[in-house]
Amino acid sequence: MPNDHKPGTPTHRPSTKALSDSSLSPDNQHQIDPARRKVISGMGIATMASLLGVHAIPYHRNMPPGLIPVAFADGSTSLAVEGKEGLLVLNDRPVNAETPPHLLDDEITPTSRHFIRNNGVPPSDVDAEAWELVIDGVVDKPLTLSINDLKKNFEVVTRDLVIECGGNGRAFFNPPASGNQWTYGAVACSSWTGVRLADVLNAAGVKPEAVYTAHYGADTHLSGKPDKLPISRGVPIAKAMSDENLIAFAMNGEALHPMNGAPLRLVVPGWPGSCSQKWLKRIQLRDVVHDGPKMTGTSYRVPNRPVAPGEKVDKEDFIIIERMPVKSLITHPATDTQIGGNSVEVRGHAWSGDRSIQGVALSIDFGATWIEAELSEPTNPAAWQHFRLDVKFPQAGYYEIWAKATDSEGVSQPFGIAWNPKGYLNNSYHRIAIRVG
Ligand SMILES: Nc1nc2c(c(=O)[nH]1)N[C@H]1C(S)=C(S)[C@@H](COP(=O)(O)O)O[C@H]1N2
Ligand SMILES: [Mo]
């Protein structure tokens, strides 16, 4: 794979499956797997072009509705996302992809390894120059700001901030929870550049009755209905006004990746990733808790009490998830590594909502004893912290390395999963397999 591709341009991956004669026939519309066909036929032109590795499909207006491009039908083009090589695509409509833990080993997550979580269809034809952000609702003075206005009128800051999807770790729920089956990699800590959300809200003048924000992006609903939003979430005003949240226009020193919200997004670190609206167009301040799509019912909500696995819970008993819990991830070695000697350097990261981490301990004896790892200071609040430890094994054989983080309030990760119906907040230990000798 040449590495001079720009994000958002196409990627061609040879299919691992052999081409059958039928897949090459003009009749390929009938050969394609129905699930894949559904994904592709519902795709927007921009997404399709980007997956095909081109900037345009010049004659797209002539394409009959639902036409499957031959490039997809014959399997010669994967549904991988350009600029995101190595990510595992969990779903392609909408595009959702996670990062294998060993590809999250960098202290700051490169853009190419930042996961993608989409609820709808990303906007096409994004023009950063013409982009406008509206701040309205219960404010003294509604604002309409270009990205240049943001840069000119507010202090520009760069921060390392963790975004983790509320459903990260859902794949391990038993009974299973529906939704994207994220394992470990719906988390990242990129370096974000932008302006403080609080500064912008202060410029608009927050009225005393403001209790909640409502975030709106430019992506569209999967149904294609223009009046339906894929997602619009918000946070309590106190969280919105805290210093760590950014309205970001750059990621790791470059423009945002199209799948991570280009040209403008919110970053509300430490809270469910869904609070960090991508393709940000509008922030409304409200005098009531926001009730946009994915704010109500059981979305990004958990029962207000511990429940047994599989237990039915009344809708009224669900509460909005606020901060994400303490967690850690082993990023080196990769799981299932065979090591020749008798020791290995173990590395990883730990984070806890908007708190800091006090310690990370590792165990190689299924939790009987724990060894404290070396731990870095956070580069700034809401950044993840890195741990490392040279781990020695007493003899050849199979081991598991377990990691357990403890946060600044003394709260540690549990061994088990606090089951909940929608599969949120799994912060159980990360365990990797190691074979020695
Ligand atoms: N406009 C918009 N913003 C969005 C989403 C979305 O679907 N549309 N998904 C949210 C969710 S659920 C998560 S976890 C984060 C993921 O950010 P990323 O895709 O940049 O990793 O974006 C959030 N912001
Ligand atoms: Mo999410």
Side-chain angles (χ1 to χ4, degrees):
M1 176 62 60
N3 48 19
D4 56 349
H5 284 188
K6 290 201 202 74
T9 60
T11 175
H12 299 282
R13 225 172 256 183
S15 164
T16 46
K17 91 178 170 318
L19 295 180
S20 67
D21 285 342
S22 64
S23 68
L24 292 173
S25 86
D27 205 22
N28 67 49
Q29 303 297 305
H30 306 289
Q31 305 299 332
I32 190 163
D33 162 71
R36 187 173 160 91
R37 176 198 206 11
K38 193 163 160 248
V39 167
I40 298 167
S41 60
M43 211 175 256
I45 292 298
T47 311
M48 195 179 272
S50 128
L51 293 175
L52 287 166
V54 292
H55 285 107
I57 303 176
Y59 294 115
H60 76 84
R61 283 182 188 81
N62 300 342
M63 289 168 78
L67 182 86
I68 309 293
V70 179
F72 291 129
D74 69 7
S76 64
T77 300
S78 81
L79 298 177
V81 182
E82 173 57 22
K84 296 284 185 181
E85 289 76 17
L87 268 61
L88 304 171
V89 176
L90 301 182
N91 187 352
D92 36 29
R93 181 176 161 76
V95 175
N96 282 283
E98 72 168 304
T99 315
H102 69 279
L103 295 185
L104 286 170
D105 194 41
D106 298 88
E107 295 194 348
I108 298 302
T109 311
T111 301
S112 61
R113 293 178 173 180
H114 195 289
F115 73 102
I116 303 169
R117 198 293 183 240
N118 292 341
N119 290 268
V121 182
S124 48
D125 302 329
V126 162
D127 180 356
E129 293 297 307
W131 198 263
E132 285 184 336
L133 171 66
V134 170
I135 312 290
D136 64 358
V138 288
V139 295
D140 298 326
K141 178 175 56 139
L143 302 174
T144 299
L145 301 158
S146 67
I147 296 177
N148 274 330
D149 294 335
L150 290 173
K151 292 178 181 170
K152 268 201 328 256
N153 299 330
F154 301 95
E155 187 189 351
V156 172
V157 294
T158 297
R159 300 271 183 274
D160 306 332
L161 302 171
V162 174
I163 297 181
E164 180 177 20
C165 182
N168 197 21
R170 175 181 291 135
F172 306 108
F173 272 56
N174 183 18
S178 63
N180 285 297
Q181 296 300 301
W182 305 108
T183 64
Y184 303 105
V187 63
C189 182
S190 288
S191 173
W192 300 95
T193 299
V195 299
R196 289 185 199 88
L197 171 62
D199 291 351
V200 175
L201 296 182
N202 277 329
V206 179
K207 290 203 164 153
E209 58 267 36
V211 301
Y212 228 86
T213 60
H215 313 150
Y216 296 90
D219 47 341
T220 53
H221 196 266
L222 291 175
S223 64
K225 296 199 174 112
D227 53 332
K228 266 188 123 179
L229 300 174
I231 185 169
S232 171
R233 303 198 70 245
V235 294
I237 196 72
K239 170 63 180 170
M241 296 308 284
S242 77
D243 196 57
E244 67 275 7
N245 311 311
L246 297 186
I247 299 175
F249 41 74
M251 173 179 194
N252 299 318
E254 291 179 342
L256 304 184
H257 186 283
M259 291 291 156
N260 299 119
L264 195 68
R265 76 173 299 169
L266 267 177
V267 182
V268 178
W271 281 41
S274 52
C275 301
S276 295
Q277 195 85 24
K278 301 192 280 189
W279 310 291
L280 183 68
K281 292 298 295 174
R282 177 181 177 210
I283 301 171
Q284 180 197 32
L285 295 194
R286 302 193 51 163
D287 58 4
V288 290
V289 174
H290 187 38
D291 55 2
K294 310 260 161 125
M295 271 311 298
T296 58
T298 58
S299 294
Y300 301 103
R301 291 183 181 225
V302 288
N304 57 9
R305 57 177 189 277
V307 299
E311 192 177 324
K312 290 264 176 298
V313 183
D314 286 345
K315 274 223 168 83
E316 304 77 70
D317 292 348
F318 281 79
I319 52 172
I320 300 172
I321 298 170
E322 299 203 325
R323 57 185 304 286
M324 294 295 288
V326 58
K327 198 160 171 182
S328 59
L329 187 72
I330 301 168
T331 57
H332 181 86
T335 193
D336 258 321
T337 295
Q338 172 99 34
I339 61 164
N342 66 347
S343 76
V344 70
E345 182 189 13
V346 179
R347 296 192 294 266
H349 317 290
W351 63 96
S352 178
D354 29 29
R355 294 178 189 162
S356 63
I357 296 294
Q358 175 186 109
V360 176
L362 301 180
S363 178
I364 59 164
D365 56 9
F366 301 99
T369 61
W370 294 87
I371 318 162
E372 210 53 33
E374 291 163 30
L375 180 69
S376 73
E377 290 296 316
T379 48
N380 52 249
W384 64 18
Q385 291 165 249
H386 322 295
F387 63 86
R388 70 160 301 283
L389 185 69
D390 292 313
V391 170
K392 291 197 174 30
F393 302 96
Q395 63 190 83
Y398 174 84
Y399 294 86
E400 290 188 5
I401 302 177
W402 294 5
K404 172 171 69 171
T406 301
D407 73 16
S408 52
E409 301 291 306
V411 180
S412 298
Q413 293 178 251
F415 174 82
I417 297 173
W419 190 91
N420 58 83
K422 297 295 295 270
Y424 295 123
L425 306 182
N426 178 0
N427 68 332
S428 59
Y429 305 161
H430 185 204
R431 299 160 47 201
I432 64 163
I434 295 292
R435 289 173 176 80
V436 177

